[in-house]
Amino acid sequence: MISPQQIEAMIKAGLPDAQVQVQDLTGGGDHYQVTVVSSHFAGKGLVQQHQLVYGALGQAMSTEAIHALAVKTYTPEAWQATAAS
């Protein structure tokens, strides 16, 4: 089992400017949803953005500490546009 705080720390280690929200979807500590806002996503497609997040979580994903992960990624500009609507 991995905690939301550990997931957040791993993502921030890989994407230092990231704003991260982690939600445990089942309460079991292995099904999560993350929302990540980072300038590193600028100019990248959705798949590339998600690959950056998965890359930051590589160890947890490969050992199945995280069984399921839903990922939402935004550039800071896209996040502001979403928040404004």
Side-chain angles (χ1 to χ4, degrees), residues 3-74:
S3 74
Q5 295 80 12
Q6 289 171 306
I7 292 172
E8 181 177 351
M10 291 173 77
I11 293 172
K12 286 184 174 183
L15 300 165
D17 75 328
Q19 297 174 36
V20 183
Q21 297 174 346
V22 183
Q23 180 181 5
D24 186 342
L25 296 176
T26 63
D30 63 350
H31 289 70
Y32 288 99
Q33 175 176 298
V34 294
T35 302
V36 184
V37 180
S38 173
S39 62
H40 287 89
F41 299 147
K44 293 182 173 51
L46 192 59
V47 170
Q48 291 173 312
Q49 293 175 16
H50 288 205
Q51 286 173 334
L52 288 171
V53 174
Y54 278 103
L57 295 172
Q59 172 102 13
M61 296 301 295
S62 67
T63 62
E64 296 187 21
I66 300 173
H67 179 72
L69 181 67
V71 179
K72 295 180 181 181
T73 54
Y74 301 91

